[in-house]
Amino acid sequence: MYAQIVVSFGRMFAIATLMTLISQVSGTPYVPGGDTPAGTDCSGLASWVSNVATGRPAFGSRFHTGNEEAALLARGFHYGTAPNSLVIGWNRGHTAVTLPDGTAVSSGEGGGVRVGGGGAYQPQFTHHMYLPMPAEDMQDPLAPPPGPDAPPPAPDAPVFVDAVDAPPPPAADVPPPAGDIVPVNADIAPPPGDPAPQPA
């Protein structure tokens, strides 16, 4: 029981820290390759969010879209998407994040770091990975416990993995993309709701 309390408190702390990071860096300028509170690009923001979500320092350990898969695997992410999870989507030139509560966060979609936009579920993204963070862990740790008439907690939602998110075959020393710039003609509008897996 004690271990469960410690793990639950640790997740709540991680999410509170994640939300604090987002509020602190929101509005900072787009800086290609940036890794300081003065600004960053899309993959720098995804790095900061994944670092904080996994208990690492936000700055000083960034990745880019060319090595994002390996970096996220090293941080404990899984292939695909899942409800109530931190989800990161990317392609060779752009990446964005959707927080466990559904909030989209990005850098380079019309400026610097901002809350909103297409998030991880943009149709342009060919890869997705998620870090499980159950919704009940997002509750305010200072809120009073539910009363005796409160409904029972909902069971864990099923995890859906997109077929396109299987690890790609190894490539021969692919250089990182230049600057993580979103193409001018990129479709960054989010699809309506979370996309459901499509039958093969």
Side-chain angles (χ1 to χ4, degrees), residues 7 10-19 21 45-63 68-78 85-88 97 99-100 129-133:
V7 168
R11 286 183 181 157
M12 285 187 291
F13 178 76
I15 291 171
T17 304
L18 182 62
M19 300 307 260
L21 170 74
L45 178 63
S47 301
W48 296 351
V49 171
S50 65
N51 286 343
V52 169
T54 56
R56 299 167 184 243
F59 311 110
S61 179
R62 66 160 289 155
F63 49 78
E68 191 160 358
E69 177 184 16
L72 292 175
L73 285 171
R75 288 162 174 79
F77 279 69
H78 305 277
S85 298
L86 174 61
V87 179
I88 299 179
V97 177
L99 302 178
M129 294 184 85
Y130 72 94
L131 183 68
M133 293 184 149

Side-chain angles (χ1 to χ4, degrees), residues 27-142:
T28 58
Y30 183 88
V31 176
D35 193 21
T36 71
T40 192
D41 54 16
C42 60
S43 54
L45 178 63
S47 301
W48 296 351
V49 171
S50 65
N51 286 343
V52 169
T54 56
R56 299 167 184 243
F59 311 110
S61 179
R62 66 160 289 155
F63 49 78
H64 51 78
T65 56
N67 67 357
E68 191 160 358
E69 177 184 16
L72 292 175
L73 285 171
R75 288 162 174 79
F77 279 69
H78 305 277
Y79 290 105
T81 64
N84 305 319
S85 298
L86 174 61
V87 179
I88 299 179
W90 76 97
N91 58 27
R92 291 211 24 93
H94 186 49
T95 185
V97 177
T98 297
L99 302 178
D101 66 354
T103 301
V105 183
S106 65
S107 181
E109 294 179 8
V113 176
R114 71 182 188 112
V115 175
Y121 295 102
Q122 296 178 44
Q124 67 173 313
F125 294 145
T126 54
H127 303 287
H128 295 89
M129 294 184 85
Y130 72 94
L131 183 68
M133 293 184 149
E136 60 269 14
D137 291 339
M138 299 233 4
Q139 295 174 355
D140 182 354
L142 303 177

